[in-house]
Amino acid sequence: MTSVKSLSAFERLIWTPPWVKWNPDANHDLTWGMNILFGLAASFSVANLYYSHPILNILADDFDISDQQSSLVPTLTQAGYAVGLLFIVPVGDIVRRRPMILSLIFMTSLIWLGCTLTQSFSAFLGLSFLVGLLTVTPQLMFPLAVQYAPQRHRATMISIVMSGLVFGVLVARLLSGIVTQFTSWRNVYWVSFGLQVLVWIFLFFTMPDYPALSPGTSYPRILLKIATLPFRKPELTQSSLIAFLTMGMFTSFWTTLTFQLADTFHLSTLAIGLFALIGISPVFLNPIISRLLISRLHPHGSLIIAHLLTIAAICIGTWVGTFSLAGPVIWAFFGDLGMNTIIVSNRVAIAHVDPKAQNAVNSVYMVHTFCGQLFGTAVGNALYAQGGWTWSGAFNVAQMIAGLFVLALRGPHEKRWIGWRGGWSLRKPRAEENAQTSAAQVDVEAINEDIVTEVPTEIPTEDEGTKEKVEDGVQKEEGTRDHYKKLEA
């Protein structure tokens, strides 16, 4: 009797309103409103991983523990997140995404409430690990944006979700530092709890019940695919290595920046927290960059431009940053803009890798990203301790040059592991899109028939999309005329 009641409660939790039930015959292109909601969901979810970073000393005082013990909070939270990337995100390929996402947000908010209320540090530590484990919702949003975004808007829509992710990372640290400066740290957690509940409500009433990508695949099989994908898909491995190096640069900069601003320029904790506002600015420019650059070039082209921009920003920031605040400002603005462009270009590049296992592909990519963050933080801090700002800056330049080298090993149209076969052109081909079907059209029927639809890496602009529609209309009209002529004969 108890199991029936619990099942009934779970069914009510994942109940699907009639207006969002899946209709295979309807148009399921991702709308701008849903795209923005995905970005906000990613932002408010990933923020859970970073609220504790600027307030570790406050947590130590409140729980009456040492600073070293309080540093276990972000460590265990990130460890939980890594486990979630490996073992929870791949489940998105074999189950319906709507109930999975709603369940994750609901459980995370309940556990977060426990973090807010507990007076025990041991309980707080254990709950923080569970929060990290379940805070993988943003990584389920990216495959949905890739799959259902209209081709001509795919780069822009991916960049909106990406911007939400970066916005959440930076705003969490900023909000937590400022609020805790004037009130209790628990108020920050209460605000986060309310935001998560709000996101859950909006998604419950608006998110379509997307079908599973590979409903017949077993969980062990999808885990095995994660282990084999990097050895079978050169484009995924190339993009993952670039992400590793890029995120290593990003985390190295932002962790060593705190010491540089405090030791060299003697800024207060509040001023250092407000410095994150500079890093937030490129987030709002990224959709524009995606529209004007990424959607018009092969991902290889936009990656080269973004790497060169980032290297220039690091060189200027490293040199000028030894004697002027202008250096870190330039680096924070243009470096983050370059980093965002690299990540979005990577997402476009791997969009076609395996349409029936997009979450497994995302897990491989994100594990490399996470390892890059750990690598950048550890090495960057060690070099800063030895040689200061110049040494850590040189390390970041080396990482970006290494990213360019990885990019140069394999050309934009190469199908194998190394080489430039297929040409050097970095422009997006004007043809080919009509010969391939968008991943947004991959539905339950196609999956059951084992039709693997390849998502094109190249993305048509709006003008080209309009032109294609006109040409399709002319062809249909000519076909109709021929049909009637045959009937008359």
Side-chain angles (χ1 to χ4, degrees):
M1 189 72 178
T2 306
S3 61
V4 174
K5 287 184 178 180
S6 61
L7 180 62
S8 177
F10 179 72
E11 286 179 342
R12 284 196 291 268
L13 175 66
I14 62 172
W15 174 75
T16 304
W19 57 87
V20 295
K21 287 185 177 179
W22 187 257
N23 179 6
D25 299 323
N27 176 23
H28 296 290
D29 283 352
L30 188 66
T31 64
W32 289 110
M34 185 57 61
N35 183 221
I36 293 172
L37 182 57
F38 281 0
L40 291 174
S43 182
F44 296 144
S45 295
V46 78
N48 294 341
L49 305 175
Y50 298 95
Y51 284 118
S52 65
H53 287 206
I55 59 171
L56 294 179
N57 58 326
I58 306 296
L59 292 176
D61 293 339
D62 192 70
F63 286 109
D64 194 23
I65 56 174
S66 66
D67 290 344
Q68 186 176 6
Q69 287 177 294
S70 69
S71 67
L72 290 174
V73 175
T75 302
L76 279 181
T77 305
Q78 293 289 346
Y81 184 60
V83 175
L85 289 176
L86 269 176
F87 297 106
I88 295 182
V89 170
V91 178
D93 287 331
I94 57 180
V95 301
R96 287 157 42 220
R97 268 76 59 87
R98 174 190 159 87
M100 179 179 179
I101 289 172
L102 289 175
S103 299
L104 285 173
I105 295 176
F106 183 80
M107 289 188 290
T108 303
S109 61
L110 287 181
I111 296 170
W112 192 259
L113 183 61
C115 289
T116 308
L117 297 174
T118 185
Q119 300 295 324
S120 166
F121 180 70
S122 298
F124 185 84
L125 211 54
L127 291 172
S128 295
F129 175 83
L130 293 177
V131 166
L133 179 70
L134 300 177
T135 304
V136 292
T137 305
Q139 302 312 322
L140 297 169
M141 298 297 184
F142 277 112
L144 286 173
V146 170
Q147 185 179 1
Y148 291 102
Q151 286 187 1
R152 64 183 181 276
H153 295 312
R154 182 172 292 123
T156 306
M157 287 187 162
I158 292 174
S159 73
I160 287 176
V161 180
M162 177 64 202
S163 296
L165 195 69
V166 177
F167 182 78
V169 173
L170 296 175
V171 150
R173 295 174 175 176
L174 179 65
L175 181 66
S176 185
I178 293 176
V179 171
T180 307
Q181 182 91 4
F182 303 102
T183 182
S184 169
W185 66 269
R186 295 182 189 271
N187 290 333
V188 179
Y189 276 55
W190 277 115
V191 170
S192 175
F193 173 73
L195 290 173
Q196 290 175 78
V197 171
L198 195 63
V199 165
W200 186 89
I201 292 172
F202 275 106
L203 288 175
F204 182 85
F205 287 105
T206 61
M207 185 178 183
D209 190 14
Y210 299 108
L213 291 170
S214 302
T217 305
S218 65
Y219 182 63
R221 187 174 178 183
I222 205 73
L223 291 180
L224 179 62
K225 178 168 282 191
I226 292 176
T228 59
L229 274 172
F231 303 99
R232 295 190 296 107
K233 303 292 183 178
E235 60 269 56
L236 174 60
T237 303
Q238 183 183 40
S239 296
S240 297
L241 290 175
I242 292 172
F244 175 92
L245 296 165
T246 302
M247 294 311 296
M249 178 278 300
F250 177 77
T251 54
S252 172
F253 167 68
W254 282 101
T255 51
T256 57
L257 176 66
T258 302
F259 302 118
Q260 182 69 3
L261 294 178
D263 299 340
T264 303
F265 300 106
H266 309 292
L267 297 185
S268 66
T269 304
L270 181 60
I272 293 173
L274 291 173
F275 207 86
L277 290 173
I278 301 170
I280 292 174
S281 303
V283 170
F284 300 102
L285 293 176
N286 207 52
I288 300 173
I289 298 296
S290 298
R291 165 76 175 169
L292 299 178
L293 179 68
I294 299 176
S295 64
R296 297 177 184 274
L297 292 177
H298 188 283
H300 230 76
S302 52
L303 281 168
I304 291 173
I305 294 173
H307 272 81
L308 294 176
L309 171 67
T310 308
I311 290 172
I314 296 172
C315 290
I316 295 173
T318 301
W319 177 59
V320 178
T322 57
F323 58 85
S324 172
L325 263 177
V329 169
I330 292 171
W331 187 346
F333 185 89
F334 290 102
D336 277 20
L337 184 62
M339 183 275 295
N340 287 342
T341 305
I342 289 171
I343 297 302
V344 175
S345 299
N346 269 341
R347 291 284 182 179
V348 174
I350 65 174
H352 70 291
V353 168
D354 192 338
K356 292 174 68 176
Q358 290 180 351
N359 290 285
V361 170
N362 195 37
S363 289
V364 173
Y365 181 82
M366 285 306 302
V367 167
H368 282 79
T369 298
F370 183 80
C371 291
Q373 292 175 344
L374 297 179
F375 172 74
T377 301
V379 178
N381 284 338
L383 288 174
Y384 186 89
Q386 292 292 323
W389 184 249
T390 305
W391 282 33
S392 63
F395 166 64
N396 290 321
V397 171
Q399 288 191 96
M400 298 313 298
I401 292 176
L404 268 180
F405 177 73
V406 172
L407 198 60
L409 286 176
R410 184 176 176 277
H413 308 290
E414 177 60 67
K415 301 299 182 185
R416 302 177 187 176
W417 288 91
I418 296 177
W420 281 69
R421 301 172 187 86
W424 296 68
S425 175
L426 299 178
R427 294 285 301 176
K428 177 188 65 64
R430 300 180 67 85
E432 296 183 7
E433 278 88 1
N434 283 338
Q436 295 171 324
T437 307
S438 168
Q441 305 304 320
V442 179
D443 54 16
V444 178
E445 290 79 13
I447 292 170
N448 291 336
E449 293 169 6
D450 289 327
I451 297 175
V452 179
T453 303
E454 184 169 315
V455 181
T457 301
E458 297 80 9
I459 301 170
T461 59
E462 292 191 19
D463 293 339
E464 292 169 351
T466 305
K467 182 179 177 182
E468 289 166 2
K469 289 180 181 179
V470 172
E471 290 174 352
D472 290 343
V474 171
Q475 291 173 359
K476 288 179 182 178
E477 185 177 349
E478 290 175 352
T480 305
R481 289 175 182 170
D482 293 341
H483 176 69
Y484 280 117
K485 284 180 181 178
K486 290 178 181 179
L487 290 176
E488 290 173 359

